[in-house]
Amino acid sequence: MEDPVRASLDHCVKCTICETACPVAQVTPLFPGPKYEGPQAERFRQPGASADHSVDYCSGCGICSQVCPHGVKIAEINSRARAAYKAEVGAPLRDRVLARPGVTGPMGSPVAPVVNRVMANGPARWVLERAVGLHHSAPVPPYAPRSFQRWARSHRRGAGVHPDGRSVVYFHGCSTNWFEPDLGRMVVAVLERNGVQVRVPDQGCCGLPLQSNGLFEPARRTLRHLAHDLAAGGGDEPVVASSSSCGLMLKREGREILGLADEDLRAMGERTYDICEFLLDLHDQGALDTDFRRLPLRVLYHAPCQQRGHAMGTPALDLLRLVPGMEVVESAGGCCGIAGTYGLKKEKYGIAMAVGEPLFEQVRTGNPDVVACDGETCRWQITAASDHSSVHPVALLFWAYGLEL
Amino acid sequence: MQTIETEVLVIGGGATGVGVARDAALRGFATVLVERKDLAEGTTGRYHGLLHSGGRYAVKDPQAARECAAENGVLRRIAADCIEDTGGLFVTTPWDDVEFGDRFLAGCAATGVGVEEIEVGAALVREPALNPDIRRAFLVADASMDAWKLAWACARSAVEHGARVLTYHRVTEVLRNGDAVAGVVTVDVRTGVTLTVRAQVTVNATGAWAGQLAALAGCRPVDVVPGKGIMIAMNHRIVNTVLNRCTMPSDGDIIVPIRTVSVVGTTDSPVTDPDQLEVTQAEVDHMLDEGEKLVPGFRKARALRVWAGARPLFGAKEPGDEKTRDITRAHTLLDHRQRDGLDGFVTITGGKATTFRLMAEETMDLVARMASPGTDRPCRTATLPLPDSEPGAYYAVGSRLAQRERHLLDDQLVCECELVSRRDLTEALDRRPTANIDDIRRALRLGMGPCQGGFCTYRATGILHHQERLDQATANRALLDFLQERWKGLAPILYGDQLRQARLDDWLYQGLLDVEHLPAAAGAP
Ligand SMILES: Cc1cc2nc3c(=O)[nH]c(=O)nc-3n(C[C@H](O)[C@H](O)[C@H](O)COP(=O)(O)OP(=O)(O)OC[C@H]3O[C@@H](n4cnc5c(N)ncnc54)[C@H](O)[C@@H]3O)c2cc1C
Ligand code: SF4
Ligand code: SF4
C-alpha cells in the first residue's frame, strides 16, 4: 500500500490557500511556503535521498494542513522531508539535546539552582548561543526543584473521589514534570474536584521534540515506550493530556507523521483527550461542577496551532466562559512562532519573533490580566515577548474553584 | 526558392533521425536533418519512457531482446544524463503463470539480458506499493529515459559536428533524378517558405510515417502499420522501479517511473493514420484496471494526463487484419536501390527508442558505402558520450529540486509543478526563440505537472510576450494554443482530483481572464 500521507499530495489543486495561511512564509523569504514544500517538492522526493534543505524552516505548526480545503497533509509531508534531510546531513548537537527533555530533565532538575542561574545569566547565554546555537534571548524556563512525578508518587486520592467512579490516566508530559509541576497538581485537583480518579503512571517523553527535529527513529521508540508506560497497570480508561501538542502526538501524529501502525497506539489515540476537551465533555454530560467563585479577570485566550490540530473547537474558551466575572477574549493573532523548539534556535529565533508579533502586539495593547494558552512553549514565548504572564486554562479553573496547592 | 546542398539528408527528427544525423556528422558527412514539427514530437516524444533491459522480449522476440540488452549498456555510457537508473522488476502477479518465470530466466540467459530472481519480500521492501500477492520477482537493468533530452542532446552533438537541424520543415515532395532520389522540397510550416535540399543520400527516418514518405518518393509501397498505444501518467511516483508483469507482452503491463510521474501502458492496435490517435474511455479504464493488478489502489491515485503514440511496425499485411503485437520489435533497414532500383534513398523504421543508436549505426554503415565508397569512416556513437553526459552520472528525480533550492532567493518560479524558473525560461528562449509554448514545454517540462498549465501558461505567455517582443494577438494565440494542447490530454481522464483541477483552471481562464474573447492571431496550420 502506498503511504497515505504522501498519496495525499494528489489532492492539491494549487489554490494557494495554504500559502496565505502559513505564518513562517509570511515573515521570511527563506521559506518558500507550504505548497512548495508539501505537494510540489514531494513529487521530486525519493526514499533514502534528500534534495532540499529549505523545508527545515517549516516550524511544523500544522496550520497548512488545517486550512487546505482538499485534504493535503502538508505539514506531515514536510515533517517527513525534514527527517530525511536531517538523516542526510545529521542533526546538530543542539537539536539532539533540545529533542530529549525526557533525558535532560532528570539531569537538570536535581541541580536546578545552578542550571537556572546559568540560563538566566546574560553572558553565559551568549556563550551558549555561540557554542551550540541556542539563541541568547530564547525563552527557556527554569527547572523546578521537585518534579511532578515525585509529587504524584506521594499524592493521596483527593477527598470526594470515589474509587469506583470515573477514572483517567494523566499524561502530563515533560514540561509539567520538569518545569511546571504546579500545573500538574492543578490538573489533578480540578479532575478530583469533579470526582474523577487520576492515575499518574511513571512516564517518559512522547517523542514530539525528536519528531519535530527530524529524528524519527528515536521518536518512534520514545512514543512506543510512552504508550506502554501509560497502559501499564490499567484498563482502557481515557488518557488525559494537559499539553495540547503532546496529546496530539498520541492522538494522531505518531501514526500520521512517524508512520507507526501499531494497533495499541491507535486504540490509545482514540481514547486520548485534551484536558479541556475532557472537562467540556463532562460538562456536556452534566457532570462538571460549575460552582465557580467570581473571578473578575480580563483574560486573553490563545489557542496554539497544535491545539487546533485536535479539531475539537476551543473547549478552553467554553470552559472559561463558565466562570462568573471572567472576561475572555480570543486572540486574533495566529501562531506565536515558537513551535516547540523551533524558536529557540539561533537561526530561527528572529523568524519566530516576527511570526508571533501580531499576537504579542495584541497582548501589549489589550493588556489583559493574564493570557491563557494550552501549550507550554507558547506560554513561555508569549510571556517572554510581551511581558505578560500566561497560564494554562486549567489554572484559571483551579482558582475559580477556590482550590489551593 | 532557396536551395541547399548536402551529402546526407535525414528526414524525421525522432530518436532515429537525430541518431542518424549525429552518426553522419561524427563520420564527417555534411548533414541536414528536416523535421515537420519539433524534435521528438512524433512517437519518440510519446513513448513509454522505458530504456529496455531486454527482459520484455526475452521469451517472445530474442533478436529484439539481444539488441535492447546491448544498447542498454551502450546508452548508459553515452547518454547517462538522459537516463534515470531506476532498475526494473518483472513480477508474477496472481493473474500470471508462475511457470513463465522459468521461461523468462531461460530467455534472458539465451539473449544476454542480465537478471536476478529475488525474494518476494525483498521486492516489497524495495517497492512498498507493489501488489503483496506477487509470487515471483526478477530484477533487471530497466531504466527510464527522457526522450526530449535525448533527442536534443543528439541534435546538439550533430550540430557541434557541422550538421544543420531544421525543425518545422515538412517534406512535401521528394525530388527524383531519374532512378535516384536527389533530395526534397520542404515547407516551413510557420512561415510557408519553401526550401529545396539536395543530397547524395536521403534517409527516410519518419517512423510510423515512413510509408507515407516512401510513397512521395514513388517507390514500391513500404508496409508500415502504425500501432497505436495509449499511456496514462499518474500525478506522482507511486513506484521508483520500473514494474513489468512477468508474462507474454500484453496491454497495460508496465509502469514506468519517469521524472515526477508514473506512467502505465500501453495498448497496441493497428490504425491507418499515425496523426489520428483517439483515446477511448474503454482504453483508459483498461489501463487503470491493469495498473491496479501491479499496484493495488492505483485507480485511486490521480491521473494526470493520457496520450497515445504510434509504433512504426514494419511488415504487417494491412491494417485491421491482424494483431500488431506479433510483429517483431527489431528494426528494418531498406536499401531502395536493391529493393526498388531507386538510388540514393534508404528507409530505417521499426525498432525501439532503446535501439535508436544501433539503428542509426547500421543505417550510416549503408549510407557511408553509398556516399563515399571505398573510404573507411567508422561509427563513433557507441563510445563518444553525448554533450553533458558522463558515464554513470544519471539524473535523479530530485535533481531539479536540488537546483531550485539553490536559487530560492534570486529566481522566480514560473511553473510551480515542474519547478521551472524564470531564468530557465529566458535562457531557453535565448537558445531557441519561439512563439510556441509547447516548444518550451518539451525543452523544460513547463506545464507538465498536476495543474497542466493552469498556473504557468499565463505567466509564460507574459514572459514570452516581453522577451520575444510578440504582438498581443500572437501572444494570445500562443496562450490559447497551449491551453488547447493541454486540454487534449485531460479530456479523457476527467474524474477525481484532475476534474477538480480542471474546474479551477477553467475558472481562472474562462471566469477570470475570459480567454475565449481574447483578440488572437489565426491558428498555426
Ligand atoms: C505507445 C508506445 C510506447 C513505446 N514505448 C517504448 C519504450 O518504452 N521503450 C522503447 O525503447 N521504445 C518504445 N516505443 C517505441 C519507440 O517509441 C519508437 O520505436 C521510436 O520512438 C521511434 O522513433 P523514430 O524516430 O523512428 O520515429 P518518430 O519519433 O515518430 O520520428 C519520426 C518523425 O518523422 C517526422 N515526419 C513524419 N513525416 C514527415 C515529413 N513529411 N516531413 C518531415 N518530417 C516528417 C515526424 O514528425 C516524427 O517526428 C514505444 C512506442 C509506442 C507507440
Ligand atoms: S491549500 Fe491544499 S490544495 Fe491549496 S495549494 Fe495548498 S496544498 Fe494545494
Ligand atoms: S506547518 Fe506551519 S510553518 Fe510549516 S508549512 Fe505548514 S503552516 Fe507553514
Side-chain angles (χ1 to χ4, degrees):
Chain A
M1 253 290 285
E2 212 203 349
D3 152 46
V5 165
R6 176 172 158 89
S8 77
L9 80 87
D10 274 358
H11 307 319
C12 175
V13 295
K14 322 239 132 213
C15 66
T16 308
I17 288 173
C18 56
E19 302 271 311
T20 61
C22 169
V24 175
Q26 261 149 59
V27 299
T28 174
L30 295 172
F31 184 59
K35 176 165 70 161
Y36 170 94
E37 298 292 0
Q40 283 174 187
E42 183 63 17
R43 295 177 71 241
F44 294 84
R45 295 190 185 116
Q46 200 175 0
S50 166
D52 51 327
H53 50 81
S54 62
V55 72
D56 195 35
Y57 278 103
C58 164
S59 77
C61 70
I63 291 178
C64 48
S65 297
Q66 292 161 31
V67 300
C68 172
H70 295 281
V72 182
K73 299 203 173 294
I74 315 163
E76 291 81 353
I77 291 174
N78 292 357
S79 294
R80 302 260 184 96
R82 187 170 39 241
Y85 167 67
K86 287 288 169 67
E88 193 153 299
V89 300
L93 172 69
R94 171 200 66 193
D95 294 10
R96 282 178 281 138
V97 170
L98 288 176
R100 289 179 171 84
V103 176
T104 48
M107 285 157 57
S109 184
V111 287
V114 183
V115 178
N116 295 343
R117 204 163 325 133
V118 171
M119 293 310 280
N121 173 300
R125 289 294 301 269
W126 279 104
V127 172
L128 265 180
E129 171 168 327
R130 191 85 51 78
V132 298
L134 180 74
H135 194 276
H136 68 273
S137 302
V140 184
Y143 279 109
R146 186 166 182 242
S147 74
F148 173 68
Q149 263 169 21
R150 268 179 63 197
W151 173 86
R153 273 181 222 129
S154 56
H155 171 64
R156 292 281 166 76
R157 193 172 62 231
V161 176
H162 201 279
D164 300 331
R166 240 185 257 274
S167 98
V168 299
V169 169
Y170 177 31
F171 164 38
H172 50 70
C174 300
S175 74
T176 302
N177 198 36
W178 305 113
F179 302 118
E180 301 183 322
D182 287 355
L183 169 61
R185 294 171 64 184
M186 292 179 190
V187 167
V188 173
V190 166
L191 285 167
E192 289 185 341
R193 164 79 176 231
N194 285 285
V196 180
Q197 191 177 180
V198 185
R199 266 197 330 110
V200 187
D202 274 359
Q203 56 190 268
C205 179
C206 66
L208 173 61
L210 287 162
Q211 183 240 85
S212 67
N213 279 290
L215 302 162
F216 276 22
E217 234 355 272
R220 290 187 185 108
R221 280 197 302 274
T222 308
L223 180 59
R224 283 200 170 110
H225 218 98
L226 171 75
H228 177 262
D229 288 345
L230 292 179
D236 49 5
E237 317 112 290
V239 174
V240 172
S242 55
S243 162
S244 48
S245 52
C246 304
L248 195 60
M249 200 58 188
L250 267 187
K251 272 190 179 176
R252 67 178 174 83
E253 289 198 338
R255 274 178 295 134
E256 289 191 351
I257 295 182
L258 297 178
L260 289 174
D262 314 22
E263 180 49 33
D264 49 343
L265 194 64
R266 191 194 56 75
M268 182 169 288
E270 277 178 9
R271 56 173 203 273
T272 298
Y273 295 80
D274 179 77
I275 177 69
C276 292
E277 179 185 26
F278 183 81
L279 293 174
L280 192 65
D281 268 6
L282 283 188
H283 183 54
D284 290 345
Q285 296 160 28
L288 186 79
D289 179 354
T290 54
D291 188 12
F292 296 112
R293 63 176 177 152
R294 213 182 135 68
L295 212 55
L297 287 177
R298 286 174 50 251
V299 178
L300 181 79
Y301 171 69
H302 175 67
C305 307
Q306 303 291 343
Q307 189 277 353
R308 285 175 238 167
H310 286 253
M312 60 185 178
T314 44
L317 203 57
D318 299 341
L319 289 168
L320 294 181
R321 287 189 171 140
L322 297 173
V323 178
M326 198 175 283
E327 194 188 303
V328 195
V329 177
E330 192 178 1
S331 79
C335 176
C336 73
I338 192 76
T341 58
Y342 181 88
L344 303 178
K345 300 171 185 174
K346 180 178 69 178
E347 72 281 10
K348 288 164 186 137
Y349 175 80
I351 295 174
M353 292 303 281
V355 165
E357 185 49 32
L359 173 65
F360 309 148
E361 185 53 28
Q362 194 189 2
V363 177
R364 282 187 219 107
T365 51
N367 195 23
D369 297 315
V370 67
V371 177
C373 174
D374 322 61
E376 55 278 359
T377 56
C378 311
R379 288 195 293 275
W380 305 334
Q381 167 89 337
I382 292 168
T383 296
S386 70
D387 215 12
H388 276 68
S389 58
S390 52
V391 296
H392 192 286
V394 166
L396 294 174
L397 297 181
F398 176 86
W399 291 321
Y401 279 133
L403 296 168
E404 270 167 40
L405 284 179
Chain B
M1 193 195 311
Q2 205 200 331
T3 301
I4 54 177
E5 306 264 347
T6 186
E7 290 173 306
V8 177
L9 165 65
V10 185
I11 309 170
T16 313
V18 293
V20 173
R22 174 175 193 240
D23 192 315
L26 284 177
R27 291 186 205 228
F29 287 105
T31 307
V32 172
L33 180 145
V34 293
E35 158 60 49
R36 63 175 183 159
K37 293 184 174 176
D38 197 8
L39 292 187
E41 212 180 322
T43 308
T44 300
R46 310 178 147 268
Y47 88 137
H48 203 160
L50 172 55
L51 176 68
H52 284 282
S53 59
R56 177 149 176 95
Y57 305 111
V59 173
K60 183 163 176 195
D61 195 341
Q63 188 192 343
R66 220 170 275 122
E67 289 175 0
C68 284
E71 285 302 300
N72 181 297
V74 172
L75 294 187
R76 282 168 179 270
R77 283 197 303 277
I78 67 153
D81 189 42
C82 310
I83 293 171
E84 184 182 344
D85 186 20
T86 59
L89 283 170
F90 279 76
V91 296
T92 310
T93 72
W95 294 268
D96 306 323
D97 175 14
V98 179
E99 307 294 311
F100 187 86
D102 299 329
R103 291 172 65 196
F104 176 72
L105 284 173
C108 287
T111 53
V113 174
V115 62
E116 181 197 347
E117 178 156 15
I118 61 171
E119 296 286 329
V120 165
L124 290 170
V125 167
R126 182 180 173 122
E127 287 303 336
L130 186 59
N131 188 339
D133 295 331
I134 59 165
R135 283 171 290 179
R136 297 179 78 171
F138 308 86
L139 200 57
V140 295
D142 286 344
S144 57
M145 181 164 74
D146 184 322
W148 293 303
K149 246 181 142 172
L150 181 77
W152 280 102
C154 286
R156 239 175 80 201
S157 168
V159 169
E160 282 167 10
H161 290 86
R164 282 186 72 179
V165 173
L166 302 172
T167 54
Y168 293 104
H169 280 64
R170 180 195 189 92
V171 172
T172 51
E173 198 185 324
V174 175
L175 299 173
R176 291 278 294 260
N177 184 359
D179 281 345
V181 166
V184 299
V185 177
T186 66
V187 57
D188 184 328
V189 297
R190 296 163 303 187
T191 59
V193 173
T194 53
L195 170 75
T196 299
V197 186
R198 296 201 164 271
Q200 280 178 40
V201 183
T202 298
V203 179
N204 171 14
T206 53
W209 291 265
Q212 293 180 8
L213 208 284
L216 287 180
C219 60
R220 269 199 301 133
V222 169
D223 191 13
V224 174
V225 178
K228 180 188 84 170
I230 80 150
M231 288 139 288
I232 304 174
M234 309 307 275
N235 183 40
H236 68 274
R237 305 229 327 193
I238 301 169
V239 293
N240 289 297
T241 308
V242 176
L243 299 185
N244 306 260
R245 297 262 293 276
C246 190
T247 177
M248 277 298 194
S250 157
D251 288 354
D253 54 356
I254 308 183
I255 299 176
V256 181
I258 179 163
R259 296 292 193 171
T260 47
V261 298
S262 326
V263 183
V264 65
T266 169
T267 57
D268 199 343
S269 42
V271 294
T272 41
D273 182 355
D275 284 311
Q276 299 296 327
L277 304 173
E278 301 297 322
V279 175
T280 67
Q281 192 60 53
E283 287 170 322
V284 168
D285 271 336
H286 184 38
M287 282 308 95
L288 296 175
D289 284 343
E290 294 303 309
E292 192 74 28
K293 291 178 182 168
L294 279 166
V295 173
F298 194 79
R299 258 187 177 283
K300 289 206 203 90
R302 173 174 177 174
L304 196 66
R305 187 173 179 80
V306 60
W307 70 95
R311 287 181 190 80
L313 298 177
F314 184 78
K317 291 178 194 64
E318 288 304 330
D321 65 1
E322 71 182 278
K323 270 296 266 174
T324 45
R325 192 160 311 274
D326 295 327
I327 302 171
T328 175
R329 292 297 199 267
H331 52 271
T332 305
L333 174 62
L334 301 177
D335 176 352
H336 291 281
R337 181 172 46 186
Q338 277 184 6
R339 183 181 186 262
D340 309 301
L342 187 58
D343 218 349
F345 189 51
V346 300
T347 292
I348 174 72
T349 187
K352 312 288 303 166
T354 302
T355 55
F356 85 96
R357 193 212 60 83
L358 177 67
M359 294 161 70
E361 174 174 349
E362 290 178 11
T363 305
M364 280 311 300
D365 285 348
L366 172 63
V367 171
R369 283 197 299 277
M370 294 164 72
S372 59
T375 60
D376 185 26
R377 299 195 189 185
C379 174
R380 294 166 59 201
T381 56
T383 49
L384 192 71
L386 288 165
D388 293 338
S389 276
E390 271 172 54
Y394 305 110
Y395 76 76
V397 62
S399 309
R400 205 171 255 203
L401 179 59
Q403 187 200 334
R404 175 65 202 156
E405 289 275 304
R406 288 195 286 277
H407 294 288
L408 284 176
L409 296 178
D410 62 19
D411 199 3
Q412 183 192 352
L413 267 189
V414 176
C415 168
E416 298 170 29
C417 306
E418 291 292 325
L419 301 179
V420 180
S421 74
R422 189 178 181 121
R423 192 180 303 153
D424 296 333
L425 182 55
T426 54
E427 283 174 3
L429 286 170
D430 284 342
R431 277 196 302 276
R432 194 167 73 119
T434 179
N436 179 350
I437 302 178
D438 209 40
D439 286 349
I440 302 169
R441 171 181 74 88
R442 279 183 298 275
L444 297 177
R445 301 184 61 79
L446 178 116
M448 292 188 67
C451 76
Q452 289 286 298
F455 287 77
C456 63
T457 304
Y458 61 83
R459 294 176 190 152
T461 306
I463 293 169
L464 202 64
H465 174 58
H466 177 73
Q467 186 161 334
E468 296 296 307
R469 302 182 205 290
L470 302 183
D471 62 35
Q472 188 194 14
T474 311
N476 288 344
R477 168 53 48 198
L479 180 132
L480 290 173
D481 283 350
F482 193 59
L483 290 179
Q484 187 57 34
E485 191 279 334
R486 294 285 84 189
W487 174 250
K488 269 189 235 150
L490 283 169
I493 46 131
L494 283 184
Y495 62 89
D497 290 319
Q498 204 60 337
L499 177 58
R500 274 196 207 117
Q501 182 74 60
R503 287 300 291 145
L504 180 62
D505 293 357
D506 196 47
W507 285 329
L508 279 178
Y509 286 97
Q510 309 265 19
L512 202 62
L513 303 175
D514 193 21
V515 292
E516 302 263 298
H517 298 101
L518 286 179

